[in-house]
Amino acid sequence: MKTITILGSTGSVGRQVLDVISKYPNHYKVVGLSAYRNESLLREQVEKYNPTYYYFPSGGIEVQPSVFDLLEDKAYTKCTSSLEELASMPADIVVSAVSGIAGLWSAVKVLSRGGTLAIANKETIVCAGRHLKALEKKHGGKILPLDTEHSAIFNCLKGEEKKQVKSLILTASGGALRDMPIKQLAKVKADDALRHPVWKMGKKVTIDCATLFNKGLEVIEAMRLFEVDADKVDVVIHRQSIIHSLVEFSDNSMKGLLSAPDMRLAIDNALSYPTRGKEIIAPLSLKEIGTLTFSAPDYDRYPCLKLAIEAARAGEGACIALSAADEVLVEEFLKGKIKFTDIAQTLAKVLTKFRKIGNVELEDILSIDERARKYTYNVIGVK
């Protein structure tokens, strides 16, 4: 039985991880859980899964031991002092499903002790992927991608030689606004951008899908996880979201992973690694699907994707700054403080400001992140 800690267990990804675990009660044991805001759901999860540890920023969540625990003199769930401490506790797999740069040091903790990190936290990979890969190699740990696209690439690369990889191709649905006239995008409200046609995800990533900045982050993730140059990562619009990624090889052949659009497949693959999981998602019927379409992304519609790719080519400093700025901008857009089109316009200014930083040390990441956030607030005039 594998022991699992989930950082960010109350979010969209965290809940899906618990859903997969619940289907295999004899295979997995939850030993750690954490949440940032959702205290009531975390309390429910702690009571249901009885982990050894949990973390909540404001402290204890008043989880009481059961009568049976007291009778058996059994140790019950304890609150750790930080997310990093929770990540340091023994577990076969630590799932990082937190949002934003907040997951950085917990990821470092896992890999520094040679642990296995199943990660859906895009921003941490974007900002510190090179350093995480170095820790993976140094301490003998393992990074397992939970993003559907990178999980697909991970599977397509099994048994292949790196020198024979010509390119990595990420597919994108196009997001909630893919059919809206470009001239109307300035009037878009948060509710419009949150109506994703295929995937059910958290608010931040759903808005990022509407701008396609999310796919730009995934380009950077692919560079970091699979150690390739930006020019070897491409993006194609694939509205059906059936092919999740492809790998092109030196003989011009391609391998792709096809499945119903359900993130639980990537989760199951990571938790069951190195074996393949069970029938966790619905079977795929190509006869019913009939047609798969592909097209190049329109940068007039998706300027955020172009900016992210430019940042990837510029270096780590630019990637860190854009990632931080986007967190600010998406939050302010969801509050109704800025327009949808302000996101791309502000990211362009941030890129100009930070593009010359180049690669940075691990200790400098949070400083650049903080500077980029302050600059972004100044640009949009919001405190």
Side-chain angles (χ1 to χ4, degrees):
M1 180 176 285
K2 290 183 180 179
T3 53
I4 312 292
T5 289
I6 306 169
L7 311 179
S9 61
T10 61
S12 175
V13 175
R15 294 195 305 271
Q16 290 180 78
V17 173
L18 287 172
D19 180 56
V20 171
I21 288 173
S22 295
K23 295 184 186 305
Y24 304 116
N26 296 324
H27 291 77
Y28 305 114
K29 164 62 179 171
V30 175
V31 296
L33 296 170
S34 82
Y36 180 58
R37 290 193 182 95
N38 198 335
E39 181 178 355
S40 60
L41 180 54
L42 180 62
R43 183 184 295 110
E44 291 176 17
Q45 292 175 346
V46 168
E47 291 174 347
K48 178 177 180 179
Y49 294 98
N50 191 32
T52 308
Y53 300 97
Y54 74 91
Y55 172 67
F56 190 68
S58 63
I61 56 174
E62 299 180 358
V63 176
Q64 299 298 325
S66 71
V67 173
F68 298 104
D69 288 340
L70 293 172
L71 287 174
E72 297 174 9
D73 195 25
K74 179 181 176 183
Y76 53 93
T77 305
K78 299 179 179 66
C79 182
T80 63
S81 62
S82 67
L83 197 64
E84 292 76 21
E85 183 186 1
L86 179 60
S88 301
M89 297 302 173
D92 293 319
I93 301 175
V94 176
V95 175
S96 179
V98 297
S99 179
I101 198 63
L104 172 61
W105 293 114
S106 55
V108 169
K109 285 286 187 181
V110 175
L111 294 171
S112 294
R113 63 174 172 81
T116 296
L117 178 70
I119 185 165
N121 179 212
K122 294 178 187 297
E123 293 83 1
T124 289
I125 300 175
V126 166
C127 296
R130 177 172 63 88
H131 301 287
L132 297 183
K133 290 296 289 186
L135 289 171
E136 178 188 42
K137 294 172 184 177
K138 180 178 179 180
H139 298 286
K142 190 69 178 176
I143 300 173
L144 299 173
L146 279 188
D147 266 351
T148 299
E149 295 79 4
H150 301 94
S151 176
I153 293 172
F154 185 84
N155 279 282
C156 288
L157 288 174
K158 287 180 180 178
E160 303 289 351
E161 294 185 22
K162 183 178 177 181
K163 64 181 181 181
Q164 294 181 334
V165 174
K166 186 176 180 180
S167 68
L168 309 177
I169 303 169
L170 304 171
T171 57
S173 68
L177 309 175
R178 62 191 185 185
D179 295 318
M180 179 174 286
I182 294 175
K183 292 182 180 179
Q184 295 182 19
L185 293 178
K187 299 179 181 179
V188 164
K189 302 299 182 184
D191 287 346
D192 302 319
L194 288 170
R195 296 191 187 101
H196 199 288
V198 180
W199 299 93
K200 292 182 179 179
M201 304 171 291
K203 289 185 178 182
K204 201 272 183 182
V205 69
T206 305
I207 300 300
D208 283 345
C209 284
T211 65
L212 228 60
F213 186 74
N214 186 59
K215 202 57 53 175
L217 291 178
E218 290 177 8
V219 168
I220 302 168
E221 277 187 276
M223 292 170 57
R224 306 289 188 250
L225 289 172
F226 305 110
E227 299 175 299
V228 299
D229 294 334
D231 293 339
K232 284 195 171 185
V233 186
D234 198 9
V235 174
V236 62
I237 301 296
H238 171 50
R239 297 170 71 92
Q240 296 81 13
S241 296
I242 297 299
I243 299 178
H244 303 301
S245 281
L246 304 107
V247 177
E248 182 184 22
F249 296 96
S250 55
D251 61 359
N252 290 332
S253 66
M254 290 185 181
K255 285 171 66 175
L257 188 142
L258 289 72
S259 79
D262 191 329
M263 188 180 180
R264 291 178 301 165
L265 177 63
I267 293 168
D268 193 31
N269 282 340
L271 296 184
S272 61
Y273 179 85
T275 62
R276 189 175 288 276
K278 305 291 184 180
E279 294 185 21
I280 197 71
I281 65 171
L284 185 66
S285 173
L286 294 177
K287 293 178 181 178
E288 292 181 7
I289 295 167
T291 302
L292 300 177
T293 61
F294 308 91
S295 61
D298 179 357
Y299 288 142
D300 290 333
R301 175 178 293 279
Y302 302 114
C304 291
L305 172 60
K306 184 178 181 181
L307 291 167
I309 293 172
E310 288 181 16
R313 291 172 177 151
E316 291 171 355
C319 295
I320 295 165
L322 244 63
S323 178
D326 182 69
E327 283 192 50
V328 170
L329 294 166
V330 170
E331 183 177 354
E332 297 306 319
F333 171 67
L334 288 170
K335 292 177 181 176
K337 298 289 184 67
I338 63 173
K339 295 187 295 185
F340 182 79
T341 48
D342 288 337
I343 297 175
Q345 292 171 8
T346 307
L347 286 178
K349 294 178 181 178
V350 173
L351 179 59
T352 299
K353 176 79 172 178
F354 291 88
R355 72 160 57 242
K356 294 182 180 180
I357 294 177
N359 289 348
V360 302
E361 296 304 314
L362 188 60
E363 295 76 15
D364 298 325
I365 291 174
L366 293 184
S367 174
I368 297 170
D369 178 276
E370 182 179 1
R371 287 164 49 199
R373 289 172 191 270
K374 288 181 179 179
Y375 179 75
T376 303
Y377 280 120
N378 288 334
V379 170
I380 61 177
V382 177
K383 294 184 179 179

